[in-house]
Short mmCIF file of all heavy atoms in Angstrom, two decimals:
data_model
loop_
_atom_site.label_atom_id
_atom_site.label_comp_id
_atom_site.label_asym_id
_atom_site.label_seq_id
_atom_site.Cartn_x
_atom_site.Cartn_y
_atom_site.Cartn_z
N MET A 1 99.12 110.31 100.64
CA MET A 1 99.75 111.34 99.84
C MET A 1 99.18 111.30 98.42
O MET A 1 99.06 110.25 97.82
CB MET A 1 101.26 111.11 99.80
CG MET A 1 101.99 112.18 99.03
SD MET A 1 103.76 112.05 99.26
CE MET A 1 104.24 111.68 97.61
N MET A 2 98.84 112.47 97.90
CA MET A 2 98.27 112.56 96.56
C MET A 2 99.37 112.84 95.54
O MET A 2 100.31 113.59 95.82
CB MET A 2 97.23 113.68 96.51
CG MET A 2 96.04 113.46 97.45
SD MET A 2 95.09 112.02 97.02
CE MET A 2 94.00 112.73 95.83
N VAL A 3 99.20 112.27 94.36
CA VAL A 3 100.12 112.50 93.23
C VAL A 3 99.41 113.45 92.27
O VAL A 3 98.29 113.18 91.84
CB VAL A 3 100.44 111.18 92.51
CG1 VAL A 3 101.31 111.42 91.30
CG2 VAL A 3 101.07 110.18 93.47
N THR A 4 100.05 114.57 91.94
CA THR A 4 99.46 115.52 90.99
C THR A 4 99.77 115.04 89.58
O THR A 4 100.92 114.81 89.24
CB THR A 4 100.03 116.93 91.20
OG1 THR A 4 99.70 117.35 92.52
CG2 THR A 4 99.44 117.91 90.20
N TRP A 5 98.71 114.88 88.78
CA TRP A 5 98.87 114.42 87.40
C TRP A 5 99.01 115.60 86.44
O TRP A 5 99.78 115.54 85.50
CB TRP A 5 97.70 113.55 86.98
CG TRP A 5 97.53 112.34 87.84
CD1 TRP A 5 98.52 111.54 88.34
CD2 TRP A 5 96.30 111.79 88.31
NE1 TRP A 5 97.97 110.53 89.09
CE2 TRP A 5 96.62 110.65 89.09
CE3 TRP A 5 94.98 112.14 88.15
CZ2 TRP A 5 95.65 109.86 89.69
CZ3 TRP A 5 94.01 111.35 88.75
CH2 TRP A 5 94.36 110.23 89.51
N CYS A 6 98.23 116.66 86.67
CA CYS A 6 98.33 117.86 85.84
C CYS A 6 97.42 118.94 86.38
O CYS A 6 96.59 118.71 87.25
CB CYS A 6 97.97 117.56 84.37
SG CYS A 6 96.21 117.28 84.08
N ARG A 7 97.60 120.13 85.85
CA ARG A 7 96.69 121.24 86.10
C ARG A 7 95.86 121.41 84.82
O ARG A 7 96.40 121.44 83.73
CB ARG A 7 97.44 122.53 86.40
CG ARG A 7 96.52 123.73 86.56
CD ARG A 7 97.25 124.96 87.05
NE ARG A 7 97.81 124.77 88.39
CZ ARG A 7 97.12 124.82 89.53
NH1 ARG A 7 95.81 125.05 89.49
NH2 ARG A 7 97.70 124.65 90.68
N VAL A 8 94.55 121.52 84.97
CA VAL A 8 93.64 121.70 83.85
C VAL A 8 93.07 123.11 83.92
O VAL A 8 92.57 123.53 84.96
CB VAL A 8 92.47 120.70 83.88
CG1 VAL A 8 91.54 120.92 82.70
CG2 VAL A 8 92.97 119.28 83.91
N THR A 9 93.16 123.83 82.81
CA THR A 9 92.57 125.16 82.72
C THR A 9 91.52 125.15 81.62
O THR A 9 91.80 124.75 80.50
CB THR A 9 93.64 126.23 82.41
OG1 THR A 9 94.64 126.18 83.43
CG2 THR A 9 93.02 127.62 82.35
N MET A 10 90.30 125.55 81.98
CA MET A 10 89.22 125.67 81.01
C MET A 10 89.30 127.07 80.40
O MET A 10 89.32 128.06 81.13
CB MET A 10 87.87 125.48 81.71
CG MET A 10 86.69 125.44 80.81
SD MET A 10 86.25 123.83 80.15
CE MET A 10 85.79 122.84 81.51
N VAL A 11 89.38 127.12 79.08
CA VAL A 11 89.54 128.39 78.36
C VAL A 11 88.28 128.65 77.54
O VAL A 11 87.80 127.76 76.82
CB VAL A 11 90.78 128.33 77.44
CG1 VAL A 11 90.96 129.63 76.68
CG2 VAL A 11 92.02 127.99 78.24
N GLY A 12 87.74 129.85 77.66
CA GLY A 12 86.54 130.23 76.93
C GLY A 12 86.82 130.52 75.47
O GLY A 12 87.98 130.56 75.04
N PRO A 13 85.78 130.75 74.67
CA PRO A 13 85.94 131.01 73.24
C PRO A 13 86.78 132.25 72.94
O PRO A 13 87.39 132.34 71.88
CB PRO A 13 84.51 131.19 72.72
CG PRO A 13 83.61 131.11 73.88
CD PRO A 13 84.40 130.75 75.09
N ASP A 14 86.84 133.18 73.90
CA ASP A 14 87.63 134.39 73.70
C ASP A 14 89.07 134.24 74.19
O ASP A 14 89.83 135.20 74.18
CB ASP A 14 86.96 135.57 74.42
CG ASP A 14 86.72 135.29 75.89
OD1 ASP A 14 87.05 134.19 76.37
OD2 ASP A 14 86.17 136.18 76.58
N GLY A 15 89.44 133.03 74.62
CA GLY A 15 90.81 132.78 75.07
C GLY A 15 91.07 133.10 76.52
O GLY A 15 92.19 132.93 77.00
N VAL A 16 90.06 133.52 77.25
CA VAL A 16 90.21 133.86 78.66
C VAL A 16 90.02 132.60 79.52
O VAL A 16 89.10 131.82 79.29
CB VAL A 16 89.18 134.94 79.07
CG1 VAL A 16 89.21 135.21 80.56
CG2 VAL A 16 89.41 136.22 78.29
N ALA A 17 90.92 132.41 80.48
CA ALA A 17 90.82 131.27 81.40
C ALA A 17 89.59 131.44 82.28
O ALA A 17 89.40 132.48 82.91
CB ALA A 17 92.07 131.17 82.25
N LEU A 18 88.73 130.42 82.29
CA LEU A 18 87.50 130.47 83.07
C LEU A 18 87.62 129.77 84.41
O LEU A 18 87.03 130.19 85.39
CB LEU A 18 86.36 129.83 82.27
CG LEU A 18 86.05 130.46 80.92
CD1 LEU A 18 85.01 129.63 80.19
CD2 LEU A 18 85.59 131.89 81.09
N ALA A 19 88.36 128.67 84.44
CA ALA A 19 88.52 127.89 85.67
C ALA A 19 89.80 127.07 85.56
O ALA A 19 90.26 126.76 84.46
CB ALA A 19 87.33 126.97 85.87
N SER A 20 90.35 126.74 86.71
CA SER A 20 91.57 125.95 86.74
C SER A 20 91.54 125.05 87.96
O SER A 20 91.00 125.43 89.01
CB SER A 20 92.79 126.88 86.80
OG SER A 20 93.98 126.14 86.82
N GLY A 21 92.08 123.86 87.82
CA GLY A 21 92.13 122.93 88.94
C GLY A 21 93.15 121.84 88.70
O GLY A 21 93.67 121.69 87.59
N LEU A 22 93.44 121.10 89.76
CA LEU A 22 94.40 120.00 89.66
C LEU A 22 93.68 118.69 89.45
O LEU A 22 92.62 118.45 90.02
CB LEU A 22 95.23 119.91 90.94
CG LEU A 22 96.17 121.05 91.25
CD1 LEU A 22 96.83 120.82 92.60
CD2 LEU A 22 97.22 121.18 90.16
N LEU A 23 94.28 117.82 88.63
CA LEU A 23 93.87 116.43 88.55
C LEU A 23 94.92 115.66 89.34
O LEU A 23 96.10 115.75 89.04
CB LEU A 23 93.84 115.93 87.11
CG LEU A 23 92.65 116.27 86.26
CD1 LEU A 23 92.80 115.67 84.87
CD2 LEU A 23 91.36 115.78 86.89
N GLU A 24 94.48 114.95 90.35
CA GLU A 24 95.41 114.22 91.18
C GLU A 24 94.75 113.00 91.77
O GLU A 24 93.53 112.86 91.75
CB GLU A 24 95.97 115.13 92.29
CG GLU A 24 94.91 115.74 93.18
CD GLU A 24 95.46 116.76 94.15
OE1 GLU A 24 96.66 117.08 94.10
OE2 GLU A 24 94.68 117.25 94.98
N GLY A 25 95.56 112.09 92.28
CA GLY A 25 95.05 110.88 92.89
C GLY A 25 96.12 110.22 93.73
O GLY A 25 97.27 110.68 93.76
N PRO A 26 95.77 109.13 94.39
CA PRO A 26 96.70 108.48 95.31
C PRO A 26 97.79 107.65 94.62
O PRO A 26 98.79 107.30 95.25
CB PRO A 26 95.80 107.60 96.16
CG PRO A 26 94.62 107.31 95.29
CD PRO A 26 94.44 108.54 94.43
N VAL A 27 97.59 107.33 93.35
CA VAL A 27 98.55 106.50 92.60
C VAL A 27 98.75 107.10 91.21
O VAL A 27 98.15 108.11 90.87
CB VAL A 27 98.07 105.04 92.48
CG1 VAL A 27 98.01 104.37 93.85
CG2 VAL A 27 96.71 104.96 91.81
N ALA A 28 99.55 106.45 90.40
CA ALA A 28 99.78 106.90 89.03
C ALA A 28 98.45 106.90 88.26
O ALA A 28 97.55 106.12 88.56
CB ALA A 28 100.78 105.99 88.34
N PRO A 29 98.33 107.79 87.26
CA PRO A 29 97.08 107.85 86.49
C PRO A 29 96.88 106.59 85.66
O PRO A 29 97.84 105.89 85.32
CB PRO A 29 97.29 109.07 85.59
CG PRO A 29 98.76 109.19 85.45
CD PRO A 29 99.34 108.72 86.75
N ASP A 30 95.62 106.32 85.34
CA ASP A 30 95.29 105.20 84.46
C ASP A 30 94.35 105.72 83.36
O ASP A 30 94.13 106.91 83.24
CB ASP A 30 94.67 104.04 85.25
CG ASP A 30 93.42 104.44 86.03
OD1 ASP A 30 92.81 105.49 85.71
OD2 ASP A 30 93.05 103.71 86.95
N MET A 31 93.79 104.80 82.60
CA MET A 31 92.96 105.22 81.47
C MET A 31 91.66 105.91 81.91
O MET A 31 91.08 106.65 81.14
CB MET A 31 92.66 104.02 80.56
CG MET A 31 93.89 103.52 79.79
SD MET A 31 94.73 104.80 78.84
CE MET A 31 93.62 105.00 77.47
N SER A 32 91.24 105.71 83.14
CA SER A 32 90.05 106.43 83.60
C SER A 32 90.34 107.93 83.71
O SER A 32 89.44 108.75 83.50
CB SER A 32 89.54 105.88 84.93
OG SER A 32 90.44 106.17 85.98
N VAL A 33 91.58 108.30 84.00
CA VAL A 33 91.96 109.71 84.04
C VAL A 33 91.95 110.28 82.62
O VAL A 33 91.51 111.41 82.40
CB VAL A 33 93.34 109.89 84.70
CG1 VAL A 33 93.76 111.35 84.68
CG2 VAL A 33 93.33 109.34 86.12
N VAL A 34 92.40 109.49 81.66
CA VAL A 34 92.36 109.92 80.26
C VAL A 34 90.90 110.14 79.85
O VAL A 34 90.59 111.13 79.17
CB VAL A 34 93.04 108.88 79.34
CG1 VAL A 34 92.83 109.21 77.87
CG2 VAL A 34 94.53 108.78 79.68
N ASP A 35 90.01 109.28 80.30
CA ASP A 35 88.57 109.45 80.02
C ASP A 35 88.07 110.76 80.63
O ASP A 35 87.31 111.49 79.99
CB ASP A 35 87.80 108.26 80.57
CG ASP A 35 86.32 108.32 80.22
OD1 ASP A 35 85.99 108.44 79.02
OD2 ASP A 35 85.50 108.26 81.17
N ASP A 36 88.50 111.06 81.86
CA ASP A 36 88.10 112.32 82.50
C ASP A 36 88.58 113.53 81.69
O ASP A 36 87.83 114.49 81.49
CB ASP A 36 88.65 112.41 83.92
CG ASP A 36 88.03 111.40 84.86
OD1 ASP A 36 86.93 110.88 84.56
OD2 ASP A 36 88.64 111.13 85.91
N VAL A 37 89.82 113.48 81.22
CA VAL A 37 90.37 114.58 80.42
C VAL A 37 89.58 114.72 79.12
O VAL A 37 89.24 115.83 78.70
CB VAL A 37 91.87 114.37 80.14
CG1 VAL A 37 92.39 115.38 79.13
CG2 VAL A 37 92.67 114.46 81.44
N ALA A 38 89.26 113.60 78.49
CA ALA A 38 88.48 113.64 77.24
C ALA A 38 87.11 114.25 77.47
O ALA A 38 86.63 115.04 76.66
CB ALA A 38 88.35 112.23 76.67
N ARG A 39 86.47 113.91 78.58
CA ARG A 39 85.15 114.47 78.89
C ARG A 39 85.23 115.97 79.15
O ARG A 39 84.36 116.74 78.72
CB ARG A 39 84.53 113.75 80.09
CG ARG A 39 84.09 112.35 79.76
CD ARG A 39 83.55 111.63 81.00
NE ARG A 39 83.31 110.24 80.73
CZ ARG A 39 82.22 109.75 80.19
NH1 ARG A 39 81.24 110.56 79.83
NH2 ARG A 39 82.09 108.46 79.98
N LEU A 40 86.28 116.41 79.86
CA LEU A 40 86.47 117.84 80.08
C LEU A 40 86.68 118.58 78.76
O LEU A 40 86.13 119.67 78.54
CB LEU A 40 87.66 118.08 81.00
CG LEU A 40 87.46 117.76 82.48
CD1 LEU A 40 88.80 117.82 83.21
CD2 LEU A 40 86.46 118.71 83.10
N ALA A 41 87.49 117.98 77.87
CA ALA A 41 87.75 118.60 76.57
C ALA A 41 86.47 118.69 75.75
O ALA A 41 86.20 119.72 75.11
CB ALA A 41 88.81 117.81 75.81
N LEU A 42 85.64 117.65 75.79
CA LEU A 42 84.38 117.65 75.06
C LEU A 42 83.42 118.71 75.61
O LEU A 42 82.80 119.45 74.84
CB LEU A 42 83.73 116.27 75.12
CG LEU A 42 82.39 116.11 74.41
CD1 LEU A 42 82.52 116.42 72.92
CD2 LEU A 42 81.84 114.72 74.62
N MET A 43 83.34 118.79 76.92
CA MET A 43 82.46 119.79 77.53
C MET A 43 82.92 121.20 77.15
O MET A 43 82.09 122.04 76.79
CB MET A 43 82.48 119.64 79.06
CG MET A 43 81.56 120.60 79.76
SD MET A 43 81.46 120.34 81.54
CE MET A 43 83.13 120.70 82.05
N ALA A 44 84.22 121.45 77.20
CA ALA A 44 84.74 122.77 76.84
C ALA A 44 84.45 123.08 75.38
O ALA A 44 84.05 124.20 75.04
CB ALA A 44 86.24 122.83 77.11
N ARG A 45 84.64 122.10 74.50
CA ARG A 45 84.40 122.31 73.07
C ARG A 45 82.94 122.62 72.79
O ARG A 45 82.61 123.46 71.96
CB ARG A 45 84.84 121.07 72.29
CG ARG A 45 84.95 121.32 70.81
CD ARG A 45 85.61 120.19 70.07
NE ARG A 45 86.17 119.23 71.00
CZ ARG A 45 86.39 117.96 70.72
NH1 ARG A 45 86.08 117.49 69.55
NH2 ARG A 45 86.89 117.14 71.60
N ARG A 46 82.03 121.94 73.50
CA ARG A 46 80.59 122.20 73.32
C ARG A 46 80.23 123.62 73.74
O ARG A 46 79.26 124.19 73.25
CB ARG A 46 79.77 121.20 74.12
CG ARG A 46 79.75 119.84 73.49
CD ARG A 46 78.92 118.88 74.27
NE ARG A 46 78.85 117.60 73.61
CZ ARG A 46 78.45 116.48 74.18
NH1 ARG A 46 78.07 116.49 75.45
NH2 ARG A 46 78.42 115.36 73.50
N LEU A 47 81.02 124.20 74.64
CA LEU A 47 80.80 125.57 75.09
C LEU A 47 81.60 126.58 74.26
O LEU A 47 81.61 127.76 74.56
CB LEU A 47 81.17 125.71 76.57
CG LEU A 47 80.33 124.88 77.54
CD1 LEU A 47 80.91 124.94 78.94
CD2 LEU A 47 78.89 125.36 77.52
N GLY A 48 82.29 126.07 73.22
CA GLY A 48 83.05 126.95 72.34
C GLY A 48 84.47 127.20 72.79
O GLY A 48 85.17 128.01 72.20
N GLY A 49 84.91 126.52 73.84
CA GLY A 49 86.25 126.74 74.37
C GLY A 49 87.15 125.54 74.20
O GLY A 49 86.96 124.71 73.32
N SER A 50 88.12 125.44 75.08
CA SER A 50 89.07 124.33 75.06
C SER A 50 89.65 124.17 76.45
O SER A 50 89.33 124.91 77.37
CB SER A 50 90.19 124.62 74.05
OG SER A 50 90.90 125.79 74.45
N ILE A 51 90.50 123.15 76.61
CA ILE A 51 91.22 122.99 77.86
C ILE A 51 92.72 123.07 77.57
O ILE A 51 93.17 122.77 76.46
CB ILE A 51 90.88 121.68 78.60
CG1 ILE A 51 91.28 120.45 77.78
CG2 ILE A 51 89.42 121.63 78.98
CD1 ILE A 51 91.17 119.15 78.56
N LEU A 52 93.46 123.48 78.56
CA LEU A 52 94.91 123.54 78.50
C LEU A 52 95.45 122.75 79.68
O LEU A 52 95.03 122.98 80.82
CB LEU A 52 95.38 124.99 78.58
CG LEU A 52 96.88 125.23 78.69
CD1 LEU A 52 97.59 124.77 77.42
CD2 LEU A 52 97.15 126.69 78.97
N LEU A 53 96.34 121.78 79.40
CA LEU A 53 96.96 121.01 80.47
C LEU A 53 98.37 121.53 80.68
O LEU A 53 99.14 121.67 79.72
CB LEU A 53 97.02 119.53 80.09
CG LEU A 53 95.70 118.83 79.78
CD1 LEU A 53 95.94 117.36 79.47
CD2 LEU A 53 94.71 118.99 80.91
N THR A 54 98.71 121.81 81.94
CA THR A 54 100.06 122.22 82.29
C THR A 54 100.55 121.33 83.43
O THR A 54 99.75 120.63 84.07
CB THR A 54 100.11 123.70 82.73
OG1 THR A 54 99.19 123.90 83.78
CG2 THR A 54 99.77 124.63 81.57
N GLU A 55 101.84 121.36 83.67
CA GLU A 55 102.44 120.57 84.75
C GLU A 55 102.05 119.09 84.61
O GLU A 55 101.72 118.42 85.59
CB GLU A 55 102.00 121.11 86.11
CG GLU A 55 102.31 122.58 86.32
CD GLU A 55 101.61 123.17 87.53
OE1 GLU A 55 101.44 122.45 88.54
OE2 GLU A 55 101.23 124.35 87.46
N VAL A 56 102.05 118.59 83.38
CA VAL A 56 101.60 117.23 83.08
C VAL A 56 102.68 116.24 83.49
O VAL A 56 103.84 116.35 83.08
CB VAL A 56 101.28 117.07 81.58
CG1 VAL A 56 100.77 115.68 81.29
CG2 VAL A 56 100.27 118.12 81.14
N SER A 57 102.30 115.25 84.30
CA SER A 57 103.25 114.21 84.71
C SER A 57 103.64 113.35 83.51
O SER A 57 102.88 113.24 82.54
CB SER A 57 102.65 113.34 85.81
OG SER A 57 101.65 112.48 85.28
N ALA A 58 104.79 112.75 83.59
CA ALA A 58 105.27 111.89 82.50
C ALA A 58 104.31 110.72 82.27
O ALA A 58 104.04 110.34 81.12
CB ALA A 58 106.68 111.39 82.80
N ASP A 59 103.77 110.16 83.36
CA ASP A 59 102.84 109.03 83.23
C ASP A 59 101.57 109.44 82.49
O ASP A 59 101.09 108.72 81.60
CB ASP A 59 102.47 108.48 84.60
CG ASP A 59 103.60 107.75 85.29
OD1 ASP A 59 104.53 107.28 84.59
OD2 ASP A 59 103.57 107.65 86.53
N LEU A 60 101.01 110.58 82.85
CA LEU A 60 99.78 111.03 82.18
C LEU A 60 100.06 111.41 80.73
O LEU A 60 99.28 111.10 79.83
CB LEU A 60 99.14 112.19 82.92
CG LEU A 60 97.84 112.72 82.31
CD1 LEU A 60 96.80 111.61 82.18
CD2 LEU A 60 97.29 113.88 83.13
N ARG A 61 101.18 112.08 80.49
CA ARG A 61 101.56 112.45 79.12
C ARG A 61 101.62 111.21 78.23
O ARG A 61 101.09 111.19 77.13
CB ARG A 61 102.89 113.18 79.11
CG ARG A 61 103.30 113.66 77.72
CD ARG A 61 104.60 114.44 77.77
NE ARG A 61 104.49 115.61 78.62
CZ ARG A 61 103.99 116.78 78.24
NH1 ARG A 61 103.55 116.94 77.01
NH2 ARG A 61 103.95 117.79 79.08
N ALA A 62 102.23 110.14 78.73
CA ALA A 62 102.34 108.90 77.95
C ALA A 62 100.96 108.30 77.66
O ALA A 62 100.71 107.85 76.54
CB ALA A 62 103.22 107.90 78.70
N LEU A 63 100.08 108.31 78.65
CA LEU A 63 98.73 107.77 78.44
C LEU A 63 97.94 108.61 77.44
O LEU A 63 97.22 108.07 76.60
CB LEU A 63 97.97 107.70 79.77
CG LEU A 63 98.41 106.62 80.74
CD1 LEU A 63 97.68 106.77 82.07
CD2 LEU A 63 98.15 105.23 80.15
N LEU A 64 98.04 109.94 77.54
CA LEU A 64 97.34 110.81 76.59
C LEU A 64 97.84 110.59 75.17
O LEU A 64 97.04 110.55 74.22
CB LEU A 64 97.51 112.27 76.99
CG LEU A 64 96.80 112.70 78.27
CD1 LEU A 64 97.26 114.09 78.71
CD2 LEU A 64 95.30 112.64 78.12
N GLU A 65 99.14 110.44 75.01
CA GLU A 65 99.70 110.18 73.68
C GLU A 65 99.26 108.82 73.16
O GLU A 65 98.93 108.67 71.99
CB GLU A 65 101.22 110.30 73.72
CG GLU A 65 101.69 111.73 73.91
CD GLU A 65 103.18 111.87 74.11
OE1 GLU A 65 103.90 110.85 74.10
OE2 GLU A 65 103.64 113.01 74.30
N LEU A 66 99.24 107.82 74.04
CA LEU A 66 98.80 106.47 73.66
C LEU A 66 97.35 106.50 73.19
O LEU A 66 96.99 105.85 72.20
CB LEU A 66 98.93 105.51 74.85
CG LEU A 66 98.44 104.09 74.64
CD1 LEU A 66 99.35 103.37 73.65
CD2 LEU A 66 98.40 103.34 75.96
N ALA A 67 96.52 107.29 73.86
CA ALA A 67 95.10 107.38 73.51
C ALA A 67 94.85 108.28 72.31
O ALA A 67 93.75 108.32 71.78
CB ALA A 67 94.30 107.89 74.70
N GLY A 68 95.87 109.03 71.88
CA GLY A 68 95.71 109.92 70.74
C GLY A 68 94.85 111.13 71.07
O GLY A 68 94.23 111.71 70.19
N LEU A 69 94.80 111.49 72.34
CA LEU A 69 93.98 112.62 72.75
C LEU A 69 94.71 113.91 72.43
O LEU A 69 95.76 114.20 73.00
CB LEU A 69 93.67 112.54 74.25
CG LEU A 69 92.64 113.51 74.77
CD1 LEU A 69 91.31 113.34 74.04
CD2 LEU A 69 92.42 113.28 76.26
N GLY A 70 94.16 114.68 71.53
CA GLY A 70 94.79 115.90 71.07
C GLY A 70 94.40 117.11 71.91
O GLY A 70 93.67 117.96 71.46
N VAL A 71 94.88 117.16 73.15
CA VAL A 71 94.65 118.34 73.98
C VAL A 71 95.91 119.17 73.98
O VAL A 71 97.01 118.64 73.78
CB VAL A 71 94.25 117.97 75.43
CG1 VAL A 71 92.93 117.25 75.44
CG2 VAL A 71 95.31 117.17 76.11
N GLU A 72 95.76 120.45 74.18
CA GLU A 72 96.92 121.35 74.21
C GLU A 72 97.63 121.18 75.55
O GLU A 72 97.02 121.30 76.60
CB GLU A 72 96.45 122.79 74.01
CG GLU A 72 97.58 123.76 73.87
CD GLU A 72 97.09 125.16 73.59
OE1 GLU A 72 95.90 125.35 73.29
OE2 GLU A 72 97.92 126.05 73.67
N MET A 73 98.92 120.87 75.47
CA MET A 73 99.71 120.69 76.69
C MET A 73 100.91 121.62 76.66
O MET A 73 101.53 121.81 75.63
CB MET A 73 100.21 119.25 76.81
CG MET A 73 99.13 118.22 77.06
SD MET A 73 99.81 116.60 77.33
CE MET A 73 99.98 115.99 75.66
N GLU A 74 101.21 122.18 77.81
CA GLU A 74 102.43 122.98 77.97
C GLU A 74 103.29 122.31 79.01
O GLU A 74 102.81 121.70 79.94
CB GLU A 74 102.11 124.40 78.44
CG GLU A 74 101.43 125.25 77.39
CD GLU A 74 101.21 126.67 77.87
OE1 GLU A 74 101.47 126.95 79.06
OE2 GLU A 74 100.78 127.48 77.04
N ARG A 75 104.60 122.45 78.86
CA ARG A 75 105.52 121.88 79.86
C ARG A 75 105.59 122.75 81.06
O ARG A 75 105.39 123.88 81.08
CB ARG A 75 106.91 121.72 79.26
CG ARG A 75 106.90 120.67 78.15
CD ARG A 75 108.32 120.28 77.82
NE ARG A 75 108.31 119.35 76.72
CZ ARG A 75 108.25 118.05 76.86
NH1 ARG A 75 108.20 117.52 78.05
NH2 ARG A 75 108.26 117.27 75.83
#
């Protein structure tokens, strides 16, 4: 059984959603998932866009806050 950690939406420079997908795994997220989110955010920023995280699990939210990763999250 997979645990959904969050939904990631890649947003272009004009604010239009370009792609969306789930981040999930067999167990609770760890710091490697935070690294994946950071890499996605960096890639989006290099393209002039950003990422939006929705449906963020409490475990992932805590790790992102611990890492100081400033991504836009919605509940």
Side-chain angles (χ1 to χ4, degrees):
M1 182 169 116
M2 298 296 273
V3 177
T4 299
W5 301 320
C6 72
R7 175 172 297 282
V8 180
T9 302
M10 186 88 64
V11 180
D14 55 0
V16 174
L18 301 174
S20 181
L22 294 176
L23 280 181
E24 57 187 4
V27 295
D30 57 19
M31 290 306 285
S32 69
V33 178
V34 172
D35 184 55
D36 292 341
V37 171
R39 289 177 188 276
L40 286 170
L42 179 60
M43 182 175 65
R45 194 169 351 155
R46 286 181 177 164
L47 297 172
S50 62
I51 63 170
L52 173 65
L53 302 182
T54 55
E55 305 167 34
V56 182
S57 72
D59 290 337
L60 181 56
R61 183 177 300 276
L63 287 173
L64 291 169
E65 289 173 1
L66 177 68
L69 190 58
V71 296
E72 186 176 348
M73 292 185 274
E74 290 184 353
R75 293 194 184 270

